[in-house]
Amino acid sequence: MIAERTVTDWWSTAVSEIQPGEIRLRGYPVEELIGRVTFAEQIWLMLRGELPTPGQGRLLEAALVAAVDHGPQAPSIAAARMAATCGVGLNSAVATGAGLLGDVHGGAGQQCMEVLQRVVDGEEAPAIVAEYRRRRAYIPGFGHRFHPRDPRRDPLLALVQEAVHAGEVPGRALEAGLALEAALAEGRERPVPMNIDGATAIIYAELGFPSELGRGLFVLSRSVGILAHAWEETENGARIKGPLPRPLLAGYHGVPKRHPDRMPDPHVPFEDASSSKT
Amino acid sequence: MIAERTVTDWWSTAVSEIQPGEIRLRGYPVEELIGRVTFAEQIWLMLRGELPTPGQGRLLEAALVAAVDHGPQAPSIAAARMAATCGVGLNSAVATGAGLLGDVHGGAGQQCMEVLQRVVDGEEAPAIVAEYRRRRAYIPGFGHRFHPRDPRRDPLLALVQEAVHAGEVPGRALEAGLALEAALAEGRERPVPMNIDGATAIIYAELGFPSELGRGLFVLSRSVGILAHAWEETENGARIKGPLPRPLLAGYHGVPKRHPDRMPDPHVPFEDASSSKT
Amino acid sequence: MIAERTVTDWWSTAVSEIQPGEIRLRGYPVEELIGRVTFAEQIWLMLRGELPTPGQGRLLEAALVAAVDHGPQAPSIAAARMAATCGVGLNSAVATGAGLLGDVHGGAGQQCMEVLQRVVDGEEAPAIVAEYRRRRAYIPGFGHRFHPRDPRRDPLLALVQEAVHAGEVPGRALEAGLALEAALAEGRERPVPMNIDGATAIIYAELGFPSELGRGLFVLSRSVGILAHAWEETENGARIKGPLPRPLLAGYHGVPKRHPDRMPDPHVPFEDASSSKT
Amino acid sequence: MIAERTVTDWWSTAVSEIQPGEIRLRGYPVEELIGRVTFAEQIWLMLRGELPTPGQGRLLEAALVAAVDHGPQAPSIAAARMAATCGVGLNSAVATGAGLLGDVHGGAGQQCMEVLQRVVDGEEAPAIVAEYRRRRAYIPGFGHRFHPRDPRRDPLLALVQEAVHAGEVPGRALEAGLALEAALAEGRERPVPMNIDGATAIIYAELGFPSELGRGLFVLSRSVGILAHAWEETENGARIKGPLPRPLLAGYHGVPKRHPDRMPDPHVPFEDASSSKT
């Protein structure tokens, strides 16, 4: 005999409490949240344990809205589109896309939050920029290989600034981000403006999210684009969609044709179906 | 030489248009959406191609809010919590959980939408109930193995009814759902009220979503709970969390110990590390 | 207090028995399997509960060897290659690829086994072919959109035939497959020879695997190609690999540029970083 | 117009060459591999580009055989079992399990290979042990929280030793592993013997695999156990299997019941189905 607590404690949570006829999320009966909070506010509640203020909620909505999609060129989107043609449900297509948002493809916002924190903690932005330059690395959240200036930067930063002026967020992460941007521009003809990862990193940092959740929130946001693209492919009705259209063959640059010589031929010849009398 | 169109058309989309310095989602410049639409409205835009009316947006918010979580007992949540302890990022934890929302665990809403459509198309609810009873199947979206009455039913249906009265949605799916519920209750002591899958199926059907997207929207909603639970486990710092606490061993009911007798022992004995002189 | 059995039975298994210092797989101490059975024989043991005969093992090796890869054009392979460039481990790349082997991309073998069983159970092959033709469907396991004759067919069928002659397998699935192939060729100029899915379906059926495991074994086999391709991409060092090379943009066929007109502009203008005095 | 090479080179590979009627893997026509190489040898060929010698193949078989399963307590196995009850195919169940083999749950072998390499490269084993002790970390590949002595250690090391004596592998990784094991045992009453990750790390290192492929090979091996367990759950017919049996509820340790007070009640009361006159 073992104590029931041993096993139910193993799965104990502070997120939700479920009893027959009752579902409480972070203490609130779900029926009192429905119709009263937006989806973004619910996301905040579930991750943070408390409801956001209206100003906090507005910033979160904006960040989630901004990052939903960047076209089918992104591997997370392309893989989800392919998945949708392989006979798996939309849930698997979303899983395929979300799974690809790893450190390289989905981690820049999280990494940028960590750099912002260093500045907030007192390091000088130019010193950090110099450090990255020394190891020939990009500062996550700045610059874009495609957009000279990411169109999502300005409206997001404007909303943060507005929230700072209204006293809704402290503004230190915004200050840190702008300091890094200025340090990056120093002595260059073309500036290296903040990209979507940098701008949302500022918002998530201003709102007090830990950096790991920066990734988590990006995953929720991008899952919307993943779903939209997977659904488009589902509606198209394509089957087994590969990266290249049918007439094209992927190239080959390996060893030329050769034969295994180490083993004797074990094969009994197999007569053609037409003549087979098995 | 091949036409560039051949390959760019292969990945052509109507969801988003990306050009240097420009990101348009369903035709709208992303910078004009940021700060103006909620996350739920953005979800609608991405999936449907047009922005929702305020009334449509409100219903969508409610449905997304309602389904975020049902506790760590759900395999999608439990698996994501485990994933968070295995050294993968939160993106992988979300992928793990979302991936489990298949036909059985995540498909009831989608299936319920298909049954609602049959009633909307003219079939009689009692006949459908009789058909399911004959093949000893549950009608998806009704009844709950845990809640005598799902607490999410009433507030969701109240919002639909309000929207019907305001002329924002037609009300035919609501009517169909209530007809099925009444037919199910007929001649039973205990009714079989709509559950979360049924109530959100009504909303998604009233809003004109195809049934597959009913699943898709549920995945987006439940991903929030998946992320919240995975994050809780991350914060706990557990490593390699299995289903049972450490002192317990899973049971075994297979064949007793035995030895492979078909092959001679190939083993050279291996001396202990302490005496090894390799 | 609850009985310990309640929870340990919930996770009870007949696959493996773990005790301190002891690991038994299907009853066999793992240390007595190591060095004595091949990997393919171990797969058989784990899935079937008994060790295969040498002849059974040989057929299984051949089927697993045959299906490992069909090039980067396959979405399972392409998605895994993309995953490898996104900052996730090789485990996630394998998961991405294996996850795509759904009903359409990975289910033909399983479906073919079900058709073979119908013939073994007494249905006439020409009647089945006629049925598929009536509903304009392909019989799974026959024909290939790329290979006029799948080069894996002959050596696999030759091994089955040899095993039939040696009395190692009954030969009824082979007979069924050849009957279907003959019925498909009837009255056509070009035959529709068995493909890899058909040939391995015959092997798995001859070996007594249930059809769902036909899929399972294909997943194990193709995971090898998935891993090899993901690893090649890892070695290449590509980052965030999309379906098209950089200079190319995916096409767009959606609505032209437009503006949301339903809401007033909420934006405070945001001054440029260079002039910002936040 | 763009050159066809631009896009086909983007997907160019050295793994496989596919032409109508021809499939060559690492240069070998697939029909000449079928029946001539074992599945493990095929794995080697695909990952390494050349066929193994018989002695190399034997060691690889042993390592792959050894790591297939460690019971349902492992999160990778438990999650896959849950997946199998959620209405997804066995491919998704395998993907779920493989996806969990991240740095913590599946990376010890890879990490151990890196430590072995340090010893091979000339570092002293006792110094490395001291370094890990200083930062209170475990050396990956040694010790087991469950087995006082991992039963897979001895037969695997015996096979390596045998291969060293036969001149089939150099033996330096084995030496490094034993040196680490001896350094770890130094001054302790109870030794910290190599575990499965350590023993297979030695094999993969002796065979010349890069450490990342150590993880990859473990994923292939453990996928067998994942599939066997998922299949057992499929056969059981369980639906939506959570971590705890039904009568048990997961615990809750969050905030007590409370009510959102920031917004007025938007709800129109919803009359019961029986009285509804929508």
Side-chain angles (χ1 to χ4, degrees):
Chain A
M1 301 291 277
I2 52 162
E4 183 172 327
R5 283 188 42 136
T6 309
V7 289
T8 59
D9 277 9
W10 184 245
W11 287 100
S12 185
T13 178
V15 175
S16 48
E17 189 181 7
I18 315 292
Q19 296 290 342
E22 298 180 50
I23 299 169
R24 285 194 283 277
L25 304 173
R26 299 294 189 178
Y28 296 115
V30 68
E31 62 270 23
E32 301 182 14
L33 295 168
I34 293 169
R36 280 175 175 149
V37 302
T38 68
F39 186 41
E41 289 170 327
Q42 177 79 314
I43 291 170
W44 179 295
L45 172 66
M46 293 293 285
L47 296 179
R48 302 290 288 274
E50 298 298 331
L51 283 164
T53 64
Q56 290 170 331
R58 249 190 321 270
L59 279 184
L60 180 59
E61 303 268 13
L64 292 170
V65 161
V68 291
D69 188 26
H70 197 262
Q73 187 74 315
S76 51
I77 299 288
R81 292 186 73 116
M82 289 174 176
T85 72
C86 290
V88 296
L90 283 176
N91 59 307
S92 289
V94 171
T96 299
L100 262 60
L101 300 173
D103 285 345
V104 172
H105 185 29
Q110 175 176 349
Q111 293 147 18
C112 182
M113 288 176 77
E114 285 151 19
V115 180
L116 293 174
Q117 188 58 44
R118 290 175 57 186
V119 179
V120 170
D121 288 347
E123 288 190 58
E124 294 295 332
I128 292 175
V129 168
E131 171 203 317
Y132 272 80
R133 287 212 174 121
R134 264 196 308 278
R135 45 188 178 93
R136 297 180 180 285
Y138 293 110
I139 300 196
F142 294 84
H144 202 286
R145 66 189 195 192
F146 192 77
H147 301 296
R149 186 179 183 89
D150 190 316
R152 295 161 293 191
R153 176 197 178 279
D154 292 0
L156 288 173
L157 294 196
L159 289 169
V160 178
Q161 198 174 47
E162 195 185 331
V164 173
H165 291 159
E168 284 160 341
V169 296
R172 294 168 65 195
L174 175 60
E175 224 171 303
L178 294 174
L180 285 163
E181 201 177 46
L184 271 165
E186 194 69 35
R188 288 175 59 103
E189 267 186 47
R190 279 205 269 164
V192 187
M194 239 172 269
N195 57 33
I196 177 72
D197 298 311
T200 53
I202 286 178
I203 292 185
Y204 296 144
E206 290 291 347
L207 295 176
F209 283 95
S211 64
E212 291 97 323
L213 283 183
R215 163 105 58 119
L217 289 164
F218 174 60
V219 171
L220 293 184
S221 172
R222 185 53 57 94
S223 292
V224 176
I226 290 168
L227 177 60
H229 280 278
W231 171 241
E232 186 178 59
E233 209 64 74
T234 302
E235 280 193 300
N236 288 349
R239 287 168 66 89
I240 314 185
K241 179 177 184 169
L244 302 182
R246 290 275 174 83
L248 293 181
L249 282 177
Y252 177 71
H253 60 265
V255 295
K257 185 171 174 179
R258 56 181 174 169
H259 303 278
D261 53 8
R262 52 189 268 265
M263 273 163 290
D265 192 331
H267 296 311
V268 175
F270 187 75
E271 57 271 38
D272 197 85
S274 53
S275 64
S276 173
K277 295 283 169 296
T278 321
Chain B
M1 301 293 276
I2 51 162
E4 183 173 325
R5 282 188 44 137
T6 308
V7 288
T8 59
D9 277 10
W10 183 245
W11 286 99
S12 185
T13 177
V15 175
S16 48
E17 189 180 7
I18 316 292
Q19 296 289 342
E22 299 179 50
I23 299 169
R24 286 194 283 278
L25 305 173
R26 299 294 189 178
Y28 296 116
V30 67
E31 63 270 25
E32 301 182 15
L33 295 169
I34 293 169
R36 281 177 173 146
V37 303
T38 68
F39 185 41
E41 289 171 327
Q42 177 79 314
I43 291 170
W44 179 296
L45 172 65
M46 292 292 285
L47 297 178
R48 302 289 289 274
E50 298 297 331
L51 284 164
T53 65
Q56 290 170 331
R58 249 191 320 272
L59 278 185
L60 180 59
E61 303 268 14
L64 291 170
V65 161
V68 290
D69 188 25
H70 198 262
Q73 187 74 315
S76 51
I77 300 288
R81 292 186 73 113
M82 290 174 177
T85 73
C86 290
V88 296
L90 283 177
N91 60 306
S92 288
V94 171
T96 300
L100 263 59
L101 300 173
D103 285 345
V104 172
H105 186 29
Q110 174 175 350
Q111 292 147 19
C112 181
M113 288 175 78
E114 285 152 17
V115 179
L116 292 173
Q117 189 58 44
R118 290 174 57 185
V119 179
V120 169
D121 287 348
E123 287 190 57
E124 295 294 333
I128 292 174
V129 168
E131 172 204 316
Y132 272 81
R133 288 213 173 118
R134 263 196 308 279
R135 46 190 178 94
R136 296 180 179 286
Y138 293 110
I139 299 195
F142 294 85
H144 202 286
R145 65 190 196 191
F146 192 76
H147 302 295
R149 185 179 186 86
D150 189 317
R152 296 162 291 193
R153 175 195 178 281
D154 292 2
L156 288 173
L157 294 196
L159 288 169
V160 178
Q161 198 173 49
E162 196 184 330
V164 172
H165 291 161
E168 284 159 342
V169 295
R172 293 167 67 194
L174 175 59
E175 222 171 303
L178 295 174
L180 285 163
E181 200 178 46
L184 271 165
E186 193 69 36
R188 289 176 57 104
E189 268 187 45
R190 281 205 269 165
V192 188
M194 240 171 268
N195 57 33
I196 178 71
D197 297 311
T200 53
I202 286 177
I203 291 184
Y204 296 144
E206 290 290 348
L207 295 176
F209 283 96
S211 64
E212 290 96 324
L213 283 182
R215 163 106 57 122
L217 290 163
F218 174 60
V219 171
L220 293 183
S221 172
R222 185 53 59 92
S223 292
V224 176
I226 289 168
L227 177 61
H229 280 277
W231 171 241
E232 187 178 58
E233 209 65 73
T234 302
E235 280 192 300
N236 289 349
R239 287 168 65 88
I240 315 185
K241 180 177 185 169
L244 302 182
R246 291 277 173 82
L248 294 180
L249 284 177
Y252 177 71
H253 60 265
V255 294
K257 187 172 173 178
R258 56 181 173 169
H259 303 279
D261 53 7
R262 52 189 268 265
M263 273 163 291
D265 192 332
H267 295 313
V268 174
F270 187 76
E271 56 272 39
D272 197 85
S274 54
S275 63
S276 174
K277 296 283 169 293
T278 322
Chain C
M1 302 292 274
I2 51 161
E4 183 173 326
R5 282 189 42 138
T6 309
V7 288
T8 57
D9 276 11
W10 184 244
W11 286 100
S12 185
T13 177
V15 175
S16 49
E17 189 179 9
I18 315 292
Q19 296 290 342
E22 299 180 49
I23 299 169
R24 286 195 283 278
L25 304 173
R26 300 293 189 178
Y28 295 114
V30 68
E31 63 269 23
E32 300 182 15
L33 295 168
I34 293 169
R36 280 176 175 147
V37 302
T38 69
F39 186 40
E41 289 170 327
Q42 177 79 316
I43 292 170
W44 179 296
L45 172 65
M46 292 293 285
L47 296 178
R48 303 290 289 273
E50 299 296 331
L51 285 164
T53 64
Q56 290 170 329
R58 248 191 323 271
L59 278 185
L60 180 59
E61 303 268 13
L64 291 170
V65 161
V68 290
D69 188 25
H70 197 261
Q73 187 74 316
S76 51
I77 299 288
R81 292 185 73 113
M82 289 175 179
T85 73
C86 289
V88 297
L90 283 176
N91 59 307
S92 289
V94 171
T96 299
L100 263 59
L101 301 172
D103 285 345
V104 171
H105 186 30
Q110 175 176 350
Q111 293 147 19
C112 181
M113 287 175 78
E114 286 152 19
V115 179
L116 292 174
Q117 189 58 44
R118 288 173 58 186
V119 179
V120 169
D121 288 347
E123 288 190 57
E124 295 294 333
I128 292 175
V129 168
E131 172 203 317
Y132 272 80
R133 288 210 174 123
R134 263 195 308 277
R135 46 189 179 92
R136 297 180 179 285
Y138 293 112
I139 299 195
F142 294 84
H144 202 288
R145 66 191 194 188
F146 193 77
H147 301 296
R149 185 178 185 88
D150 190 318
R152 297 162 290 193
R153 175 195 179 280
D154 292 0
L156 289 173
L157 295 196
L159 289 169
V160 178
Q161 197 173 48
E162 195 184 331
V164 173
H165 291 162
E168 286 159 341
V169 295
R172 293 168 67 196
L174 175 60
E175 221 171 305
L178 294 174
L180 285 163
E181 200 178 46
L184 271 165
E186 192 71 36
R188 289 175 57 102
E189 268 187 46
R190 280 206 269 163
V192 188
M194 241 172 267
N195 57 33
I196 177 71
D197 298 309
T200 53
I202 286 177
I203 290 184
Y204 296 144
E206 289 290 348
L207 295 175
F209 284 96
S211 64
E212 290 97 323
L213 283 182
R215 164 105 57 119
L217 290 163
F218 173 60
V219 171
L220 293 183
S221 172
R222 184 54 57 95
S223 292
V224 176
I226 290 169
L227 177 61
H229 280 278
W231 171 241
E232 186 178 60
E233 209 65 73
T234 301
E235 281 193 299
N236 288 349
R239 288 168 64 89
I240 314 186
K241 179 177 185 169
L244 302 183
R246 291 276 174 84
L248 293 182
L249 284 177
Y252 177 69
H253 60 266
V255 294
K257 186 172 173 177
R258 56 180 174 170
H259 304 278
D261 54 4
R262 52 186 269 264
M263 272 165 291
D265 191 332
H267 296 313
V268 175
F270 188 76
E271 56 270 44
D272 197 84
S274 53
S275 65
S276 174
K277 296 284 170 295
T278 321
Chain D
M1 301 293 276
I2 51 163
E4 183 172 327
R5 282 189 41 141
T6 308
V7 289
T8 58
D9 276 9
W10 185 245
W11 287 100
S12 185
T13 178
V15 176
S16 48
E17 188 180 8
I18 315 292
Q19 296 289 343
E22 298 180 50
I23 299 170
R24 286 195 283 276
L25 304 173
R26 300 293 189 179
Y28 296 115
V30 67
E31 63 270 24
E32 300 182 14
L33 296 168
I34 294 169
R36 280 176 175 146
V37 302
T38 69
F39 185 41
E41 290 170 326
Q42 176 79 315
I43 291 171
W44 179 296
L45 172 66
M46 292 293 285
L47 296 179
R48 301 292 288 275
E50 297 298 330
L51 283 164
T53 65
Q56 291 170 330
R58 249 192 321 272
L59 278 185
L60 180 59
E61 303 268 12
L64 291 170
V65 161
V68 291
D69 187 27
H70 197 262
Q73 187 74 316
S76 51
I77 299 287
R81 292 186 72 114
M82 289 174 178
T85 73
C86 290
V88 296
L90 283 176
N91 60 306
S92 290
V94 171
T96 299
L100 263 59
L101 300 173
D103 285 345
V104 172
H105 186 29
Q110 175 176 349
Q111 293 147 19
C112 181
M113 288 174 78
E114 285 152 18
V115 180
L116 293 174
Q117 188 59 43
R118 290 174 57 186
V119 180
V120 169
D121 287 346
E123 288 190 58
E124 294 294 333
I128 292 175
V129 168
E131 171 203 316
Y132 272 80
R133 287 212 175 121
R134 266 197 306 279
R135 46 187 178 95
R136 297 179 180 287
Y138 293 111
I139 300 195
F142 294 85
H144 203 287
R145 66 191 196 190
F146 192 77
H147 301 296
R149 185 179 185 86
D150 189 318
R152 295 161 293 192
R153 175 195 178 280
D154 292 1
L156 288 173
L157 294 196
L159 288 169
V160 178
Q161 199 172 48
E162 195 184 330
V164 173
H165 291 162
E168 285 159 342
V169 294
R172 294 168 65 195
L174 175 61
E175 224 171 302
L178 294 174
L180 285 163
E181 201 177 46
L184 271 165
E186 194 70 35
R188 290 175 57 102
E189 266 187 46
R190 278 205 270 164
V192 188
M194 239 173 272
N195 58 33
I196 177 72
D197 297 310
T200 53
I202 286 176
I203 291 184
Y204 296 143
E206 290 290 348
L207 295 176
F209 284 96
S211 63
E212 291 97 321
L213 282 183
R215 164 105 57 118
L217 290 163
F218 174 59
V219 171
L220 293 184
S221 172
R222 184 55 56 93
S223 292
V224 175
I226 289 168
L227 177 60
H229 280 277
W231 171 241
E232 186 178 59
E233 210 64 74
T234 302
E235 280 193 301
N236 289 348
R239 286 168 67 88
I240 313 185
K241 179 176 185 169
L244 303 181
R246 293 274 173 85
L248 292 181
L249 283 178
Y252 177 71
H253 61 266
V255 295
K257 186 173 174 178
R258 55 180 173 170
H259 303 278
D261 55 5
R262 52 188 270 265
M263 273 163 290
D265 192 332
H267 294 313
V268 175
F270 187 76
E271 56 271 38
D272 197 84
S274 53
S275 64
S276 172
K277 296 282 168 295
T278 321

